[in-house]
Each structure stands twice: as C-alpha cells, then as structure tokens.
Amino acid sequence: METRFKEVTRQSIVETPKTKQKYVFSFHEGDGKNKQLLGGKGANLCEMTQIGLNVPPGFVISTEACMSYLSGNKQLPADTMEQVLEHMKEVEAATGKKFGDPTDPLLVSVRSGSALSMPGMMDTILNLGLNKETLHGLIQQTRNERFGYDAYRRFIQLFGKVALGVPDEVFDKIFEEVKHKAGVKIDIGLSAENLKEISERFLLAVKDYTQKPFPENVYEQLEIAIKAVFNSWTGKRAVDYRREFNITPDLANGTAVNIVAMVFGNMGNDSATGVGFTRDPGTGENVMFGEYLVNAQGEDVVAGIRTPKAVHLLAEEMPDLHKQLEDLRDKLESHYKEVQDFEFTIEKGILYCLQTRNGKMNAAAMVRTSVEMVQQGLLTKEEALFRIKPSTIEQLLHPRLGAHDQEPLAQGLPASPGAASGQCVFDADRAEFLGHAGQKVILVREETKPEDIHGFFAAQGILTSRGGKTSHAAVVARGMGKPCVAGAEGIKVDVKLRQATIGDKTLYEGDFITIDGGTGYVYKGVIPTVESEFSNELKTLLTWADEASTLKVMANADTPDGAAKALQFGAVGIGLCRTERMFNASDRLPIVVEMIIANTDHEREEALKQLLPIQKQDFKEILTTMAPHPVTIRLLDPPIHEFLPSEEELKEELQHLRHLKETASGVSNLFSSLHLLHAENLELKNVLPFNGKGVELIELAISKKESILKKAHELHEVNPMLGHRGVRLGLTYPEIYKMQIQAILEAAAECQKEGIDVHPEIMVPQVCTAEELKQVKVYVDEVAKTVEAAYGIRPRFEFGTMIEVVRACMEADELAKEADFFSFGTNDLTQAAFSFSREDAENKFLPFYAEKNILHDNPFEIIDRNGVGKLMKIAVEWGRKTKPGLKIGICGEHGGQPDSIKFCHELGLNYVSCSGPRVPVARLAAAHAKLGEAVDKAL
Ligand code: PEP
Ligand code: MG
C-alpha cells in the first residue's frame, strides 16, 4: 500500500521509562480494545493502524491524563508534554516533515474522543501548527496559495473558538463582510486574496477579544489545544449530554485527545474525501456504498454545498484508488466482522482511512447482512443471531408509512405496530357496515369493549382516546395484527354527532385519517404505506434461532385465520385461544344474549344448542390448521354481562324506541334508527320495510330490550375484574362450560376420525383453588365419555389451568395434581400482584412513576421480576415438585416481550405464547436467552 509516511517499527516506538506513568500511546502500541483508556476514536485508530490500514500517523493522550488534569487544578500531569513531544518526533519521522518547520511544516488535528460516542459534544481543532511562517512553507509545498490561506483561516477560527473562547459570531461577521465585499455567494467562490484578508482580520479579532496576540509558537498551540479538549469534557454541552443519556463515569470517564497528522482531500484533482459503507445500509446488499467529492474537505461533504458523487463513479475517475477502496472495505469487514461506516481521504493519489465504526442499518438490511455474512464464513450463526435486537424484527412484520412530510394531527401511545389509512367511524356497527361494503375504515372510539369486536374485524386500524398499551383495544388489535394508537387524549369523540374534535379541528365520519401504531402518530388524509415482507433471509435467520433455543414459541389466536397467520410467523402451536372472542362475532352475539337472558334452564340449553355446532366448527378449523401442533383453548373467561350493552346504552335505546312508538313517524324514520338496535334486530331490519307492521315490531324490540336491561341490572357487579367470571362462572352456570368442552372434544374426535393429528388442550381461567379444577375435570371426564360413546373413539386432549391469581401460585403444588399443564396469565397476575387496574395505571400514574423512578418499567409490558416474577418462581418450583415434567408456559402479553422472554427462559418454562406478529420477535428473543447463558456465565 502506498503511503507518504514511513513505516514505524516496534523498535522506533518511544519507550516511556518504567517508573513514569504512561499517558501517551502511539497508534502502533495503544490497545485497540481499551476504549476506557484511549476513548473510542483513539482505540479505533490504534486498531486500524495495527491491522495495516493506511491511517495517518498519530498518538493518543489517555483519559487518565484528562481526569488527572481536571482534578488537579488544570495542570497537565507531570511529563505529559514531554511524552507528547517525544511522540511528535515519531510522527515527524513517519511523515518526513517537522512541526513548525517554515519550509515543509507538519500539521496535525487535535480531536476529542471518550469511551462512548458523544457526537458533537466536545471539540476538535484542525490544521494545528500553522503560523505566519509555516503558512508560507505550506503554500510553497502545495504551490497553492488559496489552499494555504483556506487552511489558515479555518485553523484560526477553530483554535480561536475552542482554545481561546472567541465566539463564533466574531468570525462569522468578518467572513460575511469579506464575502459581501467580494460579491461572492458561496465559500468556494472566495479567492486566495479574500482568504488572506479573512485570516488577517481573524488574527486581529482574536487579539482584540483576548487582549493577547494569537500564539505563533506551534508547541504552545499544541499544549493550549490539548488543555482545551480536556476542558470540553466539563463544558455545558457535554455535561448536559451525559446527564440526558445517563452516561455515568463507569461508562465513560474523561476524554482522550487524538493527535493525528493532517491529510488533505482538497489538494487538487488527484485528491478527494468521502464516506463509505461496506454494504448498502438501506438493503444490506453486499456492495460498497458511499459518496465522495473531488478536491474537497470532509466539512464540504457534511455542509452539503456541493453534491457528492456515488462511490462507484470513482471507478471511472480514479480506477486504481477505487480498487484500493474495495480492498479497504474487505479488510475492514474481515477484521471487524461487522458492516463498517468509514471515512476516507485521498491526498495526491494516496488513500487514507480516517475513521471506522459499526454501520447503522434498518431492520431489513440487518437481517440480510446477518445471513449473508454467515454464508460467507464471516460470522457464526450464533454471532449473526446476537447481532440483531429482537425488537428490531418487529419493523419487518407490519406495513409502515412511506416517506412523507405531513404534520401529525394528534399523538397517542404506539399500542400495536403497523400503519393504516381509512375513513373515521365512531361505532363498531358502522365500521362493520362500511367494512362489508368494501370501505377501508379506522374505528375511532373513546375506548373499546368486547362488544366492539365486529368493528375490529372490519377496520384497518383502531384509534382510542383513552387506555394504554395493554388496554382492550391494544391487546385485541395486537392479537389481530392490526395497527392501534391508544390513549390519544387530545381527541374528543362524540359518538352521537359522529365526529371527533382535536383542538379546533373536527373529524367527521367518512374523513380519511392515517394512524401509525409504531409511533403513535395520527395524520389527516391518506399517507401511502409500504407493505411488510417475510423475506427468505428472515426465514433462514429464524430457523437458526429455533435451532439455538430451548423455549418454544406459540401464538395467541382466536380464529382459523389467526391460526394460519401464526403458522406463517413460525408458531409451533396456539398457547391461548380466547373463546369469548368467538362469542362476540355478530352471528353469535344474539344467541349469546339469548343464553344470558334465559329465564329457565331449558331456555338456556336451547340457546347453547345453537352455539354448540358453531363453536365446534371453529375448533375443528383451528385444530386442523395447527395440526399436529397443540391448541390451548381457554373456557369462557369474562363476566357474562360484558356481552350485554351497558345499562346506560339500553336505557337510551329504550327511550328512543318508546318515542318512536308514540310518534309512529313512519317506516323510513324507523328504519334509519335501527342502527341503534343491537344485533338481535338485524332480522327485523330485513322485514321491516315490507310488512308495514312497524308498531308491533317496535313493541317486540321494546320488550326484548326490557329483558336485557333487567338482566344487565341483575348482573351488575361492583368490581367485575374480581367478580363473577372465569371458573366461578363456569361452575355456577355449568351448562356453558359443558357446551364448550363438548364442542372441543367432538371437534377433536371428528378430526381424529378423519385422520388429522390434532392436539387440543382445555384450559380453565381464573382458578384459585384445586377444588375448582377438580370440579371442571369432572365435567370434562363426563363429556369425554359421552363423546367416546357417540364417536367410537376416545378424543385426545390435555387439561390444564391458567395461573393468573396470586393464590394459584401459592397452591401450585395442589393444582399440579389436577393439571397436565400451567399457563401463566401475567396480565391478570400483574394486576393482582400490584392491585393496579392496568388501564387506570397506564393512563393515570405509571408515566409519573417512571419519570420519578418509583417504578422504572411498566410492569404490564415487562415482567416485574421482583414481585410477579417471584410468584411465578414459586409456582414453577411447587408445580414441578408435584409433577416433575409439568409443562409450563406463559400466555400474558409479556410472552412477546424480549426481556420477559429471557426471564421465562431462566425460570425453565417450556413455551411462551404471544400475538402472531410478535412470534418472530419472540423466536429471536428465545434464541438470545439461550445463547446469552454462556455470555452471562463468562461474566
Ligand atoms: C392474562 O391474564 O394474562 C391472560 C392471558 O388473560 P386475559 O388477558 O384474557 O385476561
Ligand atoms: Mg386473564
């Protein structure tokens, strides 16, 4: 490799006597891994030099010198300058130039650099070593007066500002005046004469401001510059930055100073400067990517004054250098085993590498480069998996907004990722009506309830003005893989007027909006989205993840469609099928309501008879889709009044119907008001306009509403979350659970007879004592016997319990006697352990708790290891004491969250179950958890 610098051998390295503390390290000797001592930039320059890259010669003054300087009355520690001067000699030897030489001067840059990158927070001085004499040497050597004065005025300004504290405005004013006088618009239009004038005026201005002449002695310049960089560690900018990003002394303590021989990309048309990526950071393609400018300095690329050229054009302009750049790229990647983002300068036909760091890439590029770097033998599969944060994968699985410059209309919480556009609608019926008519709609609600489910199915996305990331809207939308922005408090929804207001703006039904569930922003109008893609590279990477992990990943899914999607995402089963979601579909809800308002056992059984075949068909489809994987079906969980409209709504509807009856104001009016009636009136809607029996039908509707209202009143609970739900409901209304068990087992028997290898698992919610489980098991055994008798085949199934109340954890040893498996419902377990209702907590005080560090993480997102985690540990230990091989999983929202997945792995769970689109994230997180064991052990 060509270089104008002489090879520095080990022997020529300056030895510091053993008795003295060593503060200065040449790039040939510094430990490239010791960022704490040499700063990130310094360590990197050492490493690049030592692997044979053409780095300009230089040395690093350590962070220890900085801390000693700052704590010792701003005195450089003894010998520092001696060591610096010795190393300057080494740089002089390598460059063949002398510092301060009036004929061929060595110029250096003086740069800061701490262990952690703090972009722009500390200071840098370029072209140090220029004075009135050396300037002429530089001009003579380069035969370029303009270049010489340009370098000089840049140096005076940087040194004046950083080392002597002269404000930028002093220089800017002079610069603009000269430009104006010369009639020049852009800097490169300035002549050598203009730049000379600027330099002279800058020198006078510095003298004026500091009351001292600008230092001419280059060694004095060097010492002042070193101290100035050290001082910048305690400058306001740097201190604020460290506070903001929580950079504590154990992460970065002091800045190092890097002194590097200057190389110039602006020495003519055989010089250039540029930045490169070893691969395309947008796509991950294995091609060099970057930009360069001929005859320019790095600042010109950054300032955007000239448009840089794509790096492949260098192959035409300077073919030999392009080849060298390709070699540099190969060396960087094979050494760092990571995509690099590097800076280079070509000075008079010689290529120098000035800096390199790991390249930042989007998720698609990260995945592609990981897979390709394994195929090239650069990385092991484990390294490739570790390279990607599991949460990054999420970006790839949902449509996202394309480039746009729209201002958001409102902001809420990013509750379910993805982006979607559609017309606003303010109630679920309307969403369903328009959705069936082929319109794209966004369901906008204050908050959603289980009875809105049909609106979710029909909508492209959900927007609520109340509720957090684990509100009903968020959980259901995530389960369906639809975008959701929750808790956008600036939006006031008025369902009656079919409009919403945001400040002084109004959104009417039918207005288009776009929501971005990844950021929480809401926009007016349609912003085009970019479709997600489950690429072959992602499939390959996740197959490696599955091979590496021990924790299995299942999905939470409630429909055959959801099951099919879960399979595509790589789930190896369904860990939670919430049967109440099936009850809410619009063809079932009227039957469910009939079942709830039934006055006699017979009436209830009649309604359940109608539900049985529907549920059975659902289960058959889901089981078949997932075969041979298991499907965990949870028996009904919510309190049944959740399937009825609220008393308030019912009263309003009754008032409306009574008014309608009194005024008998005609069929069309009546028809138009029917959107207020609930699903059981859909049939009425069809016959109404034709038979003219308007009043009779209104009476029928009134009487139906009255019975529903009566029932809703009877079922009213003070605290439904802790009320008549889950297994409590199942034991007091046994016919509901029996119907569900029958539907599951008949579906299983039918599938088995058809030769399909299905594996249903019946799961009981809200269990707090083994006695409850025993009772449900009696139903299961009874039903299994009748199904076996009817089908001539014993249905295959497992029976287990959710662990979602505190007492269940405490009685895990007893529960394990009755259960084949446990599944942690950490949504409810977290509510129970904290006594926080999740919606209220997220809306009212969790943000405050996080800000004040009372509770750092939201326990509904990340498992609270100290509380909920300990309860889980007890349940696992005691459960497995009774039944050593007990299968245990988790199906709460935490099952898709990487830190919580790590915890589940540590606890020895068998599986996690999460919403379909989070399955790939969970697969990678499960692999990280297993691979991380070795790393944790090594620490
Ligand atoms: C849970 O409580 O964690 C759970 C999965 O049940 P749900 O969210 O349906 O209450
Ligand atoms: Mg629960």
Side-chain angles (χ1 to χ4, degrees):
M1 190 192 313
E2 202 181 349
T3 170
R4 70 176 161 79
F5 303 129
K6 294 194 190 94
E7 189 62 26
V8 177
T9 59
R10 278 263 132 216
Q11 286 75 20
S12 68
I13 292 171
V14 182
E15 292 289 332
T16 306
K18 298 265 178 304
T19 50
K20 291 186 185 170
Q21 161 113 24
K22 186 169 172 57
Y23 290 115
V24 184
F25 299 82
S26 102
F27 292 166
H28 284 272
E29 62 181 341
D31 174 0
K33 302 278 173 274
N34 197 344
K35 293 187 176 173
Q36 280 292 350
L37 182 70
L38 304 176
K41 187 175 283 154
N44 212 242
L45 285 163
C46 293
E47 186 155 0
M48 288 195 296
T49 303
Q50 290 163 30
I51 62 169
L53 303 183
N54 200 20
V55 176
F59 54 89
V60 196
I61 310 171
S62 71
T63 54
E64 281 177 2
C66 173
M67 293 318 285
S68 165
Y69 167 79
L70 292 173
S71 59
N73 276 341
K74 305 263 173 120
Q75 294 295 316
L76 288 174
D79 309 326
T80 309
M81 280 317 285
E82 259 172 52
Q83 292 179 31
V84 166
L85 298 187
E86 283 164 4
H87 281 84
M88 281 301 281
K89 286 200 192 93
E90 186 186 307
V91 178
E92 288 178 339
T95 57
K97 292 167 186 273
K98 286 231 164 326
F99 195 46
D101 182 354
T103 55
D104 188 9
L106 166 67
L107 304 184
V108 293
S109 63
V110 179
R111 295 170 191 267
S112 58
S114 71
L116 282 186
S117 161
M118 295 168 53
M121 290 304 116
M122 291 175 300
D123 295 319
T124 288
I125 298 171
L126 301 176
N127 304 337
L128 188 135
L130 279 174
N131 59 23
K132 283 180 188 139
E133 288 186 337
T134 56
L135 168 66
H136 292 292
L138 180 69
I139 292 173
Q140 260 171 21
Q141 286 295 325
T142 57
R143 294 194 196 86
N144 189 338
E145 197 178 11
R146 188 189 182 284
F147 166 76
Y149 279 109
D150 195 29
Y152 195 32
R153 64 97 187 172
R154 286 179 201 259
F155 167 58
I156 303 165
Q157 175 160 4
L158 276 172
F159 190 90
K161 175 184 157 191
V162 173
L164 305 174
V166 184
D168 258 336
E169 304 82 75
V170 172
F171 301 106
D172 292 344
K173 185 163 173 282
I174 297 171
F175 199 76
E176 287 312 313
E177 278 171 14
V178 176
K179 255 167 88 175
H180 183 73
K181 199 170 74 183
V184 165
K185 287 236 152 31
I186 52 173
D187 299 2
I188 46 169
L190 291 165
S191 67
E193 206 45 47
N194 299 145
L195 292 164
K196 185 175 175 197
E197 183 187 340
I198 290 173
S199 311
E200 283 164 359
R201 289 183 60 183
F202 275 8
L203 286 175
L204 285 174
V206 171
K207 191 173 169 198
D208 233 33
Y209 190 88
T210 61
Q211 294 297 303
K212 278 191 209 148
F214 190 90
E216 283 288 293
N217 181 320
V218 293
Y219 290 99
E220 192 188 339
Q221 288 177 0
L222 189 61
E223 185 166 345
I224 295 174
I226 292 167
K227 288 179 176 169
V229 173
F230 282 163
N231 283 330
S232 68
W233 180 253
T234 48
K236 183 171 169 10
R237 258 183 306 159
V239 172
D240 288 349
Y241 187 94
R242 290 201 294 278
R243 189 181 318 111
E244 179 68 25
F245 293 96
N246 221 352
I247 300 178
T248 47
D250 54 319
L251 297 174
N253 205 17
T255 178
V257 176
N258 301 289
I259 301 199
V260 194
M262 287 294 303
V263 288
F264 295 96
N266 54 347
M267 275 202 170
N269 287 336
D270 56 355
S271 302
T273 190
V275 291
F277 271 86
T278 53
R279 299 183 193 221
D280 185 334
T283 62
E285 192 185 349
N286 189 5
V287 289
M288 183 160 60
F289 179 91
E291 290 179 329
Y292 72 102
L293 270 175
V294 171
N295 197 10
Q297 281 202 311
E299 289 160 57
D300 303 332
V301 181
V302 180
I305 299 164
R306 287 160 62 194
T307 310
K309 297 179 194 174
V311 80
H312 67 90
L313 296 174
L314 192 68
E316 288 157 31
E317 228 170 336
M318 302 181 190
D320 188 42
L321 282 150
H322 184 262
K323 199 179 156 313
Q324 286 184 33
L325 207 55
E326 287 280 2
D327 289 346
L328 170 63
R329 165 189 178 232
D330 291 347
K331 271 196 185 142
L332 285 171
E333 273 208 353
S334 54
H335 178 75
Y336 288 99
K337 301 189 185 308
E338 184 51 272
V339 174
Q340 294 294 295
D341 163 3
F342 59 100
E343 288 176 17
F344 64 91
T345 285
I346 297 168
E347 184 191 90
K348 292 189 168 299
I350 301 173
L351 172 68
Y352 297 96
C353 183
L354 304 185
Q355 188 177 317
T356 189
R357 58 187 166 201
N358 291 348
K360 288 207 165 54
M361 281 170 282
N362 65 28
M366 280 301 282
V367 170
R368 178 168 176 180
T369 50
S370 282
V371 172
E372 291 185 354
M373 285 164 90
V374 171
Q375 286 158 351
Q376 282 173 267
L378 274 176
L379 297 180
T380 62
K381 287 180 184 174
E382 288 76 16
E383 285 166 340
L385 290 167
F386 251 138
R387 206 176 151 247
I388 306 178
K389 261 176 82 176
S391 55
T392 313
I393 299 282
E394 193 138 13
Q395 283 178 30
L396 297 173
L397 305 166
H398 303 276
R400 54 186 194 281
L401 291 185
H404 69 94
D405 54 8
Q406 287 248 31
E407 283 294 314
L409 190 66
Q411 187 180 13
L413 296 166
S416 174
S421 304
Q423 289 172 282
C424 304
V425 287
F426 301 100
D427 71 85
D429 292 347
R430 193 79 186 134
E432 184 179 51
F433 179 75
L434 292 175
H436 283 171
Q439 313 268 41
K440 289 200 154 81
V441 297
I442 304 285
L443 178 61
V444 184
R445 303 279 288 157
E446 195 165 90
E447 61 190 339
T448 61
K449 296 210 178 113
E451 72 234 35
D452 290 328
I453 195 81
H454 53 301
F456 278 68
F457 284 124
Q460 308 299 307
I462 319 298
L463 168 62
T464 66
S465 60
R466 281 178 48 187
K469 286 191 193 173
T470 44
S471 60
H472 175 265
V475 173
V476 176
R478 272 203 295 278
M480 290 184 182
K482 295 193 177 194
C484 172
V485 172
E489 286 175 356
I491 302 179
K492 304 272 168 279
V493 178
D494 191 328
V495 180
K496 283 203 196 110
L497 290 179
R498 298 184 180 212
Q499 66 179 43
T501 48
I502 302 148
D504 55 0
K505 298 195 182 71
T506 304
L507 281 177
Y508 298 99
E509 184 177 289
D511 284 353
F512 278 92
I513 57 167
T514 299
I515 60 168
D516 184 345
T519 59
Y521 284 124
V522 181
Y523 302 89
K524 189 145 181 38
V526 175
I527 300 178
T529 51
V530 182
E531 273 311 306
S532 66
E533 186 197 352
F534 207 70
S535 67
N536 284 337
E537 284 96 1
L538 182 56
K539 280 188 196 140
T540 307
L541 190 87
L542 292 176
T543 312
W544 296 341
D546 296 342
E547 286 163 11
S549 49
T550 46
L551 200 58
K552 299 272 172 267
V553 180
M554 314 245 246
N556 294 354
D558 321 314
T559 60
D561 237 21
K565 279 205 193 108
L567 267 189
Q568 281 166 13
F569 286 125
V572 290
I574 305 261
L576 174 62
C577 173
R578 292 174 164 107
T579 46
E580 61 269 20
R581 303 262 166 95
M582 298 166 172
F583 280 13
N584 267 308
S586 53
D587 55 335
R588 296 116 199 245
L589 194 59
I591 313 173
V592 175
V593 172
E594 288 298 337
M595 187 258 295
I596 296 171
I597 62 173
N599 286 320
T600 63
D601 289 353
H602 175 72
E603 274 175 24
R604 179 163 306 115
E605 270 156 25
E606 280 308 302
L608 287 167
K609 255 189 220 156
Q610 288 185 61
L611 279 176
L612 177 71
I614 305 176
Q615 284 246 288
K616 183 160 94 183
Q617 189 53 28
D618 287 333
F619 295 145
K620 261 191 96 172
E621 285 178 38
I622 296 177
L623 286 166
T624 307
T625 307
M626 292 309 291
H629 298 303
V631 177
T632 313
I633 301 166
R634 181 177 73 184
L635 302 177
L636 193 67
D637 182 31
I640 48 177
H641 59 74
E642 280 200 8
F643 298 97
L644 303 181
S646 72
E647 285 187 59
E648 236 172 53
E649 261 175 84
L650 285 163
K651 280 180 189 158
E652 239 175 65
E653 287 169 16
L654 270 169
Q655 200 183 356
H656 187 77
L657 283 169
R658 285 183 188 127
H659 177 72
L660 215 58
K661 188 184 151 197
E662 273 164 27
T663 53
S665 58
V667 166
S668 65
N669 190 2
L670 177 61
F671 184 59
S672 75
S673 68
L674 276 178
H675 72 271
L676 281 174
L677 306 185
H678 270 271
E680 75 276 6
N681 291 310
L682 287 177
E683 284 168 31
L684 294 180
K685 200 187 271 185
N686 293 334
V687 295
L688 196 62
F690 304 109
N691 62 13
K693 293 184 185 167
V695 176
E696 278 170 45
L697 286 167
I698 299 171
E699 280 167 353
L700 207 61
I702 290 175
S703 119
K704 175 66 75 61
K705 290 279 164 213
E706 280 170 346
S707 352
I708 300 176
L709 178 61
K710 185 164 165 267
K711 200 72 187 179
H713 188 71
E714 274 170 33
L715 292 174
H716 174 80
E717 288 180 296
V718 177
N719 192 342
M721 192 188 94
L722 307 177
H724 195 180
R725 61 175 290 201
V727 67
R728 279 102 69 183
L729 185 78
L731 293 177
T732 45
Y733 293 91
E735 53 285 0
I736 301 179
Y737 270 22
K738 283 185 183 167
M739 180 280 288
Q740 290 197 302
I741 295 164
Q742 190 178 344
I744 297 168
L745 296 185
E746 284 188 5
E750 281 180 22
C751 289
Q752 278 169 238
K753 283 188 99 164
E754 289 165 27
I756 308 167
D757 187 13
V758 295
H759 293 270
E761 299 185 347
I762 298 170
M763 181 159 74
V764 189
Q766 301 292 327
V767 171
C768 64
T769 156
E771 210 45 50
E772 289 168 329
L773 212 50
K774 270 189 205 157
Q775 296 266 336
V776 182
K777 212 171 174 189
V778 170
Y779 306 159
V780 172
D781 289 339
E782 273 170 25
V783 176
K785 270 195 205 116
T786 51
V787 171
E788 187 177 357
Y791 286 79
I793 189 167
R794 174 142 186 98
R796 204 171 28 232
F797 68 93
E798 285 190 7
F799 178 75
T801 178
M802 290 199 71
I803 304 284
E804 54 188 337
V805 308
V806 175
R807 198 174 185 287
C809 298
M810 298 300 144
E811 219 190 38
D813 47 351
E814 289 300 315
L815 293 178
K817 289 182 187 157
E818 312 303 324
D820 301 318
F821 65 90
F822 283 178
S823 179
F824 284 107
T826 43
N827 301 336
D828 275 316
L829 192 56
T830 304
Q831 296 202 106
F834 279 89
S835 281
F836 290 174
S837 113
R838 76 184 173 206
E839 272 85 0
D840 292 331
E842 286 184 339
N843 277 326
K844 307 234 160 56
F845 56 84
L846 278 184
F848 173 84
Y849 266 35
E851 195 188 300
K852 300 282 176 218
N853 241 331
I854 299 171
L855 205 56
H856 195 264
D857 297 316
N858 176 347
F860 295 105
E861 278 177 27
I862 302 178
I863 282 182
D864 153 56
R865 288 184 179 228
N866 282 341
V868 176
K870 283 184 186 155
L871 291 170
M872 291 171 75
K873 194 159 183 283
I874 290 173
V876 171
E877 277 174 20
W878 291 2
R880 289 204 175 132
K881 211 177 253 173
T882 302
K883 208 174 252 178
L886 185 70
K887 182 166 82 170
I888 308 181
I890 176 174
C891 61
E893 281 292 297
H894 305 88
Q897 198 280 326
D899 295 321
S900 312
I901 291 171
K902 184 167 189 279
F903 179 67
C904 292
H905 173 85
E906 289 164 11
L907 270 191
L909 299 200
N910 301 87
Y911 69 89
V912 295
S913 187
C914 55
S915 60
R918 292 180 99 186
V919 166
V921 176
R923 289 166 72 192
L924 185 56
H928 275 218
K930 176 70 189 164
L931 297 171
E933 281 176 354
V935 179
D936 290 346
K937 264 190 209 131
L939 288 176

